[in-house]
Amino acid sequence: GAVVSQHPSWVICKSGTSVKIECRSLDFQATTMFWYRQFPKQSLMLMATSNEGSKATYEQGVEKDKFLINHASLTLSTLTVTSAHPEDSSFYICSARVKGGSYNEQFFGPGTRLTVL
Amino acid sequence: AQKVTQAQTEISVVEKEDVTLDCVYETRDTTYYLFWYKQPPSGELVFLIRRNSFDEQNEISGRYSWNFQKSTSSFNFTITASQVVDSAVYFCALSEARTGGFKTIFGAGTRLFVKA
């Protein structure tokens, strides 16, 4: 079955540093990947949509200079949280849409828990 | 604009009780997809069901059943004879066909506690 991995699964960093989170589709090609953020006891909020080879589309209110997204290949998208602050501490989840699949066929990664001290 | 409302924030039941989780959605599109996901304490989303807007048939999968009513824009989820392992947060989600990039929007979630 379609598997999406995320690395790291958790990360703790100091305030002011940058953190990169990887999202990989392991056994399929993904034309589109989505990045979500989930604060404790809240829902998943879509941050951005990333298409392979093009710039990401950010949702309203999401700072594109702070959350850098790179979708360099059909199996990898990265989210870099630049100059992280404690308020960026959250659970980040990616999903990937199967290339050539029905448009609603998306698979979610296991998430990355970011803690900024 | 698409919107998903899960009015029940938390539900607590005793094991073996039936429980229904409500989901109401809003969309201007005629083609859309509805989903239910389970999120256990580990955080990883578990896909439960996908239903497209042209298929109003109700579905049953073991102890789980779903009732899709386009007339009331609802997609409710029932767990029959609940078990402690059903304790989790359940999200209803909507994806519109015309939305560029096929975005999926989630409801606020319903936290289900099943007590032994």
Side-chain angles (χ1 to χ4, degrees):
Chain A
V3 179
V4 175
S5 71
Q6 284 185 238
H7 178 80
S9 53
W10 59 270
V11 57
I12 301 173
C13 70
K14 290 183 180 178
S15 189
T17 60
S18 293
V19 175
K20 181 186 282 189
I21 301 170
E22 292 186 349
C23 175
R24 290 183 187 272
S25 55
L26 298 185
D27 49 3
F28 66 97
Q29 292 184 323
T31 46
T32 306
M33 288 185 172
F34 304 89
W35 286 95
Y36 292 83
R37 180 169 53 184
Q38 185 181 30
F39 291 111
K41 295 194 175 183
Q42 293 190 25
S43 185
L44 282 77
M45 299 303 296
L46 181 65
M47 298 175 67
T49 301
S50 114
N51 293 296
E52 186 262 339
S54 62
K55 288 184 179 180
T57 303
Y58 291 81
E59 295 298 301
Q60 197 170 14
V62 177
E63 300 174 58
K64 61 181 180 182
D65 294 330
K66 181 167 184 63
F67 298 100
L68 301 179
I69 292 172
N70 185 289
H71 193 156
S73 76
L74 285 171
T75 59
L76 173 66
S77 175
T78 60
L79 168 68
T80 301
V81 183
T82 61
S83 186
H85 290 286
E87 57 266 29
D88 299 322
S89 298
S90 187
F91 192 52
Y92 291 87
I93 305 174
C94 73
S95 73
R97 177 173 171 260
V98 179
K99 179 183 180 184
S102 60
Y103 93 91
N104 63 321
E105 203 161 22
Q106 293 181 33
F107 300 92
F108 284 83
T112 296
R113 197 165 300 279
L114 169 64
T115 302
V116 184
L117 303 177
Chain B
Q2 55 188 116
K3 185 179 176 183
V4 177
T5 301
Q6 293 180 256
Q8 304 149 308
T9 307
E10 288 186 3
I11 300 177
S12 184
V13 298
V14 177
E15 210 171 18
K16 296 185 184 177
E17 281 186 23
D18 297 348
V19 58
T20 296
L21 310 182
D22 298 332
C23 174
V24 174
Y25 62 92
E26 290 178 30
T27 176
R28 280 181 260 180
D29 209 336
T30 55
T31 303
Y32 52 89
Y33 292 78
L34 294 162
F35 307 82
W36 275 96
Y37 290 90
K38 175 182 180 179
Q39 189 178 42
S42 66
E44 185 162 359
L45 284 177
V46 176
F47 168 81
L48 297 178
I49 190 172
R50 174 183 63 238
R51 174 66 77 230
N52 74 55
S53 53
F54 299 110
D55 182 3
E56 277 194 84
Q57 266 194 328
N58 292 329
E59 180 150 342
I60 298 175
S61 176
R63 294 184 298 107
Y64 295 169
S65 61
W66 291 269
N67 185 338
F68 179 25
Q69 300 266 353
K70 284 180 76 170
S71 59
T72 55
S73 297
S74 64
F75 187 43
N76 297 337
F77 171 34
T78 298
I79 302 174
T80 304
S82 59
Q83 299 175 2
V84 173
V85 294
D86 296 328
S87 297
V89 180
Y90 291 86
F91 290 101
C92 180
L94 165 69
S95 186
E96 290 179 327
R98 65 172 175 81
T99 305
F102 318 114
K103 297 186 291 188
T104 301
I105 303 300
F106 286 78
T110 296
R111 187 173 296 272
L112 175 65
F113 296 97
V114 182
K115 295 180 283 190

